[in-house]
Amino acid sequence: MNNFLFYQEEESSGKADMSSEKDQEAPVSCLTTSLIESWCTLVKEKNHVGALCNLLKAYRTACHYGDGEEDEFANKYNISSSHVFNKVMFFTLSEVDGIFRKMLGIDTKETSHFDAEKCARWKKFEPLVKSYLGNTLHILTQMTDNQMISFTLKRLKASTSFMGALPRFARKYLKVPLIYYPMICFPY
């Protein structure tokens, strides 16, 4: 699945003139394919937490692309192309649940229950899991294509065991499939 989402590259004309003083204070980091691939490699092969944080910030940028909220982001990432957008979205949705489980020391085959109180590293990873779940739920509310919605819901299903420790996200997650159920099951 190479083109998970279609990304519309913006024309750069007029964008530089609209920058505020706040934008000039924080430099914008341009995300490239090689940078994203290096983060993916570090996360998968070496369990690098810093690279995971950067990848989740890039995921947030991708999930909120076009919302008009880009100015509010503290990380100031800029997605350079549709390939970068697709790579960030597809890798994060496909792999990050397994990466969380590996870094938390949870058996990947045990998906039914996660007890945050028994996991010593949970406090360190809780903000990362919250970021992933929150941004995934956000993009789900923005999607209109049934295949993208279905893929995202399937990938989010793998992370439902974390929602016991995050009841706010569990309530939001429950609402999303109920909204999309008629569109997916009865497309006519």
Side-chain angles (χ1 to χ4, degrees):
M1 180 178 265
N2 289 338
N3 291 323
F4 176 67
L5 295 176
F6 294 102
Y7 164 89
Q8 300 293 324
E9 293 185 40
E10 292 184 17
E11 294 180 17
S12 61
S13 62
K15 293 289 181 188
D17 299 333
M18 298 172 64
S19 64
S20 65
E21 291 177 17
K22 184 180 176 183
D23 292 336
Q24 292 173 357
E25 291 174 9
V28 175
S29 299
C30 188
L31 298 173
T32 61
T33 304
S34 60
L35 181 61
I36 297 299
E37 286 176 355
S38 68
W39 288 344
C40 293
T41 303
L42 283 170
V43 168
K44 280 187 84 170
E45 294 176 3
K46 298 183 180 179
N47 296 332
H48 196 276
V49 178
L52 179 61
C53 290
N54 288 334
L55 193 60
L56 289 172
K57 287 177 187 177
Y59 181 66
R60 178 182 177 177
T61 300
C63 288
H64 288 269
Y65 179 78
D67 286 353
E69 298 177 13
E70 292 91 18
D71 294 336
E72 297 175 17
F73 291 160
N75 56 3
K76 298 292 181 185
Y77 282 141
N78 182 20
I79 296 177
S80 64
S81 70
S82 59
H83 184 69
V84 171
F85 180 86
N86 289 332
K87 179 76 175 167
V88 169
M89 294 299 294
F90 189 74
F91 178 84
T92 305
L93 287 170
S94 299
E95 304 289 337
V96 92
D97 179 75
I99 291 165
F100 283 144
R101 292 175 184 284
K102 187 177 176 183
M103 289 182 171
L104 287 168
I106 301 170
D107 184 15
T108 56
K109 295 179 182 178
E110 181 186 319
T111 59
S112 61
H113 182 69
F114 168 70
D115 190 0
E117 293 176 6
K118 292 182 180 178
C119 184
R121 300 189 80 197
W122 174 246
K123 286 295 179 193
K124 182 177 182 177
F125 285 94
E126 181 180 15
L128 301 178
V129 174
K130 280 183 178 181
S131 173
Y132 167 68
L133 293 175
N135 290 317
T136 304
L137 290 171
H138 174 78
I139 193 131
L140 266 172
T141 63
Q142 306 302 313
M143 289 180 179
T144 56
D145 182 71
N146 288 346
Q147 288 180 326
M148 291 186 296
I149 294 166
S150 180
F151 175 78
T152 305
L153 284 172
K154 285 176 187 173
R155 296 311 309 152
L156 192 57
K157 180 183 174 188
S159 300
T160 55
S161 60
F162 293 123
M163 292 189 194
L166 306 166
R168 191 179 107 218
F169 289 106
R171 285 189 295 275
K172 285 183 181 182
Y173 174 71
L174 255 169
K175 291 177 186 178
V176 171
L178 293 174
I179 292 167
Y180 288 119
Y181 180 77
M183 289 179 7
I184 295 170
C185 294
F186 309 106
Y188 302 107

Short mmCIF file of all heavy atoms in Angstrom, two decimals, residues 44-76:
data_model
loop_
_atom_site.label_atom_id
_atom_site.label_comp_id
_atom_site.label_asym_id
_atom_site.label_seq_id
_atom_site.Cartn_x
_atom_site.Cartn_y
_atom_site.Cartn_z
N LYS A 44 12.98 0.88 14.84
CA LYS A 44 12.76 -0.57 14.68
C LYS A 44 13.94 -1.41 15.14
O LYS A 44 13.77 -2.44 15.77
CB LYS A 44 12.43 -0.89 13.22
CG LYS A 44 10.99 -0.60 12.86
CD LYS A 44 10.68 -1.10 11.50
CE LYS A 44 10.32 -2.56 11.58
NZ LYS A 44 9.76 -3.11 10.36
N GLU A 45 15.14 -0.98 14.80
CA GLU A 45 16.31 -1.82 15.06
C GLU A 45 16.98 -1.56 16.40
O GLU A 45 17.55 -2.46 17.00
CB GLU A 45 17.33 -1.64 13.93
CG GLU A 45 16.82 -2.16 12.60
CD GLU A 45 17.78 -1.91 11.45
OE1 GLU A 45 18.89 -1.38 11.68
OE2 GLU A 45 17.41 -2.24 10.31
N LYS A 46 16.92 -0.32 16.88
CA LYS A 46 17.66 0.02 18.10
C LYS A 46 16.78 0.53 19.24
O LYS A 46 17.31 0.96 20.26
CB LYS A 46 18.73 1.06 17.78
CG LYS A 46 19.76 0.55 16.78
CD LYS A 46 20.85 1.56 16.54
CE LYS A 46 21.84 0.98 15.53
NZ LYS A 46 22.91 1.91 15.23
N ASN A 47 15.45 0.52 19.05
CA ASN A 47 14.53 1.02 20.07
C ASN A 47 14.89 2.41 20.56
O ASN A 47 14.87 2.70 21.74
CB ASN A 47 14.46 0.06 21.27
CG ASN A 47 13.89 -1.28 20.90
OD1 ASN A 47 13.09 -1.38 19.98
ND2 ASN A 47 14.31 -2.30 21.61
N HIS A 48 15.24 3.28 19.65
CA HIS A 48 15.69 4.63 19.96
C HIS A 48 14.48 5.51 20.31
O HIS A 48 13.66 5.83 19.44
CB HIS A 48 16.44 5.20 18.76
CG HIS A 48 17.25 6.40 19.08
ND1 HIS A 48 16.72 7.67 19.10
CD2 HIS A 48 18.56 6.53 19.39
CE1 HIS A 48 17.66 8.53 19.41
NE2 HIS A 48 18.80 7.87 19.58
N VAL A 49 14.37 5.91 21.57
CA VAL A 49 13.22 6.67 22.04
C VAL A 49 13.19 8.08 21.43
O VAL A 49 12.12 8.58 21.08
CB VAL A 49 13.21 6.75 23.59
CG1 VAL A 49 12.05 7.58 24.08
CG2 VAL A 49 13.16 5.35 24.19
N GLY A 50 14.34 8.71 21.27
CA GLY A 50 14.39 10.04 20.67
C GLY A 50 13.86 10.04 19.24
O GLY A 50 13.12 10.95 18.84
N ALA A 51 14.23 9.03 18.47
CA ALA A 51 13.74 8.91 17.10
C ALA A 51 12.23 8.65 17.10
O ALA A 51 11.51 9.16 16.23
CB ALA A 51 14.47 7.80 16.36
N LEU A 52 11.75 7.88 18.07
CA LEU A 52 10.31 7.63 18.18
C LEU A 52 9.57 8.94 18.48
O LEU A 52 8.52 9.20 17.89
CB LEU A 52 10.02 6.60 19.28
CG LEU A 52 8.55 6.26 19.52
CD1 LEU A 52 7.90 5.68 18.26
CD2 LEU A 52 8.41 5.30 20.69
N CYS A 53 10.12 9.76 19.35
CA CYS A 53 9.52 11.06 19.65
C CYS A 53 9.45 11.92 18.40
O CYS A 53 8.41 12.54 18.11
CB CYS A 53 10.30 11.79 20.73
SG CYS A 53 10.17 11.05 22.36
N ASN A 54 10.54 11.97 17.64
CA ASN A 54 10.56 12.75 16.40
C ASN A 54 9.56 12.21 15.38
O ASN A 54 8.87 12.97 14.70
CB ASN A 54 11.96 12.76 15.79
CG ASN A 54 12.92 13.62 16.59
OD1 ASN A 54 12.51 14.56 17.27
ND2 ASN A 54 14.18 13.29 16.52
N LEU A 55 9.47 10.90 15.29
CA LEU A 55 8.54 10.28 14.36
C LEU A 55 7.09 10.59 14.75
O LEU A 55 6.25 10.89 13.89
CB LEU A 55 8.77 8.77 14.33
CG LEU A 55 8.10 7.99 13.22
CD1 LEU A 55 8.58 8.49 11.86
CD2 LEU A 55 8.41 6.51 13.37
N LEU A 56 6.80 10.58 16.05
CA LEU A 56 5.45 10.91 16.49
C LEU A 56 5.12 12.39 16.30
O LEU A 56 3.97 12.75 16.05
CB LEU A 56 5.24 10.48 17.94
CG LEU A 56 5.16 8.97 18.14
CD1 LEU A 56 5.15 8.62 19.62
CD2 LEU A 56 3.95 8.38 17.43
N LYS A 57 6.13 13.25 16.39
CA LYS A 57 5.90 14.67 16.08
C LYS A 57 5.62 14.85 14.59
O LYS A 57 4.75 15.64 14.20
CB LYS A 57 7.12 15.50 16.48
CG LYS A 57 7.26 15.68 17.98
CD LYS A 57 8.54 16.44 18.32
CE LYS A 57 8.78 16.47 19.81
NZ LYS A 57 10.05 17.16 20.13
N ALA A 58 6.34 14.11 13.75
CA ALA A 58 6.08 14.16 12.31
C ALA A 58 4.69 13.60 12.01
O ALA A 58 3.97 14.12 11.15
CB ALA A 58 7.15 13.37 11.57
N TYR A 59 4.30 12.56 12.74
CA TYR A 59 2.96 11.97 12.58
C TYR A 59 1.90 12.99 12.96
O TYR A 59 0.88 13.12 12.28
CB TYR A 59 2.87 10.72 13.44
CG TYR A 59 1.55 10.00 13.35
CD1 TYR A 59 1.15 9.38 12.17
CD2 TYR A 59 0.71 9.89 14.45
CE1 TYR A 59 -0.05 8.71 12.08
CE2 TYR A 59 -0.49 9.21 14.38
CZ TYR A 59 -0.86 8.63 13.19
OH TYR A 59 -2.06 7.95 13.11
N ARG A 60 2.13 13.72 14.01
CA ARG A 60 1.18 14.76 14.42
C ARG A 60 1.05 15.82 13.32
O ARG A 60 -0.05 16.24 12.98
CB ARG A 60 1.63 15.42 15.71
CG ARG A 60 0.68 16.54 16.11
CD ARG A 60 1.10 17.25 17.35
NE ARG A 60 0.14 18.34 17.56
CZ ARG A 60 0.14 19.13 18.57
NH1 ARG A 60 1.02 18.99 19.52
NH2 ARG A 60 -0.75 20.08 18.68
N THR A 61 2.17 16.23 12.76
CA THR A 61 2.14 17.21 11.68
C THR A 61 1.34 16.67 10.50
O THR A 61 0.53 17.38 9.92
CB THR A 61 3.58 17.55 11.25
OG1 THR A 61 4.28 18.09 12.37
CG2 THR A 61 3.59 18.57 10.11
N ALA A 62 1.55 15.41 10.15
CA ALA A 62 0.82 14.80 9.04
C ALA A 62 -0.67 14.70 9.35
O ALA A 62 -1.51 14.98 8.49
CB ALA A 62 1.39 13.42 8.73
N CYS A 63 -1.02 14.31 10.56
CA CYS A 63 -2.42 14.16 10.93
C CYS A 63 -3.16 15.49 10.95
O CYS A 63 -4.36 15.55 10.70
CB CYS A 63 -2.55 13.49 12.30
SG CYS A 63 -2.14 11.74 12.30
N HIS A 64 -2.46 16.55 11.25
CA HIS A 64 -3.09 17.86 11.33
C HIS A 64 -2.83 18.71 10.09
O HIS A 64 -3.15 19.90 10.09
CB HIS A 64 -2.59 18.61 12.58
CG HIS A 64 -3.13 18.03 13.84
ND1 HIS A 64 -4.29 18.46 14.42
CD2 HIS A 64 -2.66 17.03 14.63
CE1 HIS A 64 -4.53 17.76 15.52
NE2 HIS A 64 -3.54 16.89 15.66
N TYR A 65 -2.28 18.10 9.06
CA TYR A 65 -2.01 18.84 7.84
C TYR A 65 -3.33 19.38 7.27
O TYR A 65 -4.29 18.65 7.12
CB TYR A 65 -1.32 17.96 6.80
CG TYR A 65 -1.05 18.70 5.53
CD1 TYR A 65 0.02 19.57 5.44
CD2 TYR A 65 -1.89 18.58 4.43
CE1 TYR A 65 0.27 20.28 4.29
CE2 TYR A 65 -1.64 19.30 3.27
CZ TYR A 65 -0.57 20.15 3.22
OH TYR A 65 -0.34 20.86 2.07
N GLY A 66 -3.36 20.66 6.97
CA GLY A 66 -4.54 21.26 6.37
C GLY A 66 -5.59 21.71 7.37
O GLY A 66 -6.63 22.23 6.98
N ASP A 67 -5.34 21.54 8.65
CA ASP A 67 -6.32 21.95 9.67
C ASP A 67 -6.28 23.44 9.95
O ASP A 67 -7.18 23.96 10.59
CB ASP A 67 -6.04 21.25 11.01
CG ASP A 67 -6.43 19.80 11.00
OD1 ASP A 67 -7.04 19.35 10.01
OD2 ASP A 67 -6.13 19.12 11.99
N GLY A 68 -5.22 24.11 9.56
CA GLY A 68 -5.05 25.50 9.92
C GLY A 68 -4.44 25.66 11.30
O GLY A 68 -4.35 26.74 11.84
N GLU A 69 -4.02 24.54 11.90
CA GLU A 69 -3.42 24.55 13.23
C GLU A 69 -1.90 24.46 13.18
O GLU A 69 -1.28 24.35 14.22
CB GLU A 69 -3.96 23.38 14.05
CG GLU A 69 -5.44 23.41 14.28
CD GLU A 69 -5.93 22.18 15.04
OE1 GLU A 69 -5.08 21.45 15.58
OE2 GLU A 69 -7.14 21.97 15.07
N GLU A 70 -1.32 24.49 12.00
CA GLU A 70 0.12 24.29 11.89
C GLU A 70 0.91 25.31 12.71
O GLU A 70 1.96 25.01 13.24
CB GLU A 70 0.59 24.36 10.43
CG GLU A 70 0.12 23.21 9.58
CD GLU A 70 -1.19 23.50 8.88
OE1 GLU A 70 -1.58 24.67 8.77
OE2 GLU A 70 -1.84 22.54 8.44
N ASP A 71 0.38 26.53 12.83
CA ASP A 71 1.09 27.58 13.56
C ASP A 71 1.19 27.28 15.05
O ASP A 71 2.05 27.80 15.74
CB ASP A 71 0.41 28.93 13.36
CG ASP A 71 0.50 29.40 11.92
OD1 ASP A 71 1.42 28.95 11.21
OD2 ASP A 71 -0.34 30.20 11.51
N GLU A 72 0.28 26.45 15.57
CA GLU A 72 0.26 26.16 16.99
C GLU A 72 1.24 25.07 17.39
O GLU A 72 1.46 24.84 18.57
CB GLU A 72 -1.16 25.75 17.40
CG GLU A 72 -2.17 26.86 17.19
CD GLU A 72 -3.59 26.41 17.49
OE1 GLU A 72 -3.75 25.38 18.16
OE2 GLU A 72 -4.51 27.10 17.06
N PHE A 73 1.81 24.36 16.44
CA PHE A 73 2.71 23.26 16.77
C PHE A 73 4.04 23.78 17.28
O PHE A 73 4.64 24.68 16.72
CB PHE A 73 2.99 22.37 15.55
CG PHE A 73 1.80 21.58 15.09
CD1 PHE A 73 1.76 21.07 13.82
CD2 PHE A 73 0.73 21.34 15.94
CE1 PHE A 73 0.68 20.33 13.39
CE2 PHE A 73 -0.35 20.61 15.51
CZ PHE A 73 -0.38 20.10 14.24
N ALA A 74 4.49 23.16 18.35
CA ALA A 74 5.78 23.56 18.91
C ALA A 74 6.94 22.97 18.11
O ALA A 74 8.03 23.52 18.10
CB ALA A 74 5.86 23.11 20.37
N ASN A 75 6.70 21.85 17.43
CA ASN A 75 7.81 21.18 16.76
C ASN A 75 8.16 21.79 15.41
O ASN A 75 9.26 21.64 14.94
CB ASN A 75 7.51 19.69 16.60
CG ASN A 75 6.22 19.42 15.85
OD1 ASN A 75 5.53 20.33 15.40
ND2 ASN A 75 5.88 18.16 15.73
N LYS A 76 7.25 22.46 14.76
CA LYS A 76 7.51 23.18 13.51
C LYS A 76 8.12 22.30 12.42
O LYS A 76 9.15 22.62 11.85
CB LYS A 76 8.41 24.40 13.75
CG LYS A 76 7.80 25.42 14.66
CD LYS A 76 6.63 26.07 14.00
CE LYS A 76 6.06 27.12 14.92
NZ LYS A 76 4.85 27.70 14.41
#
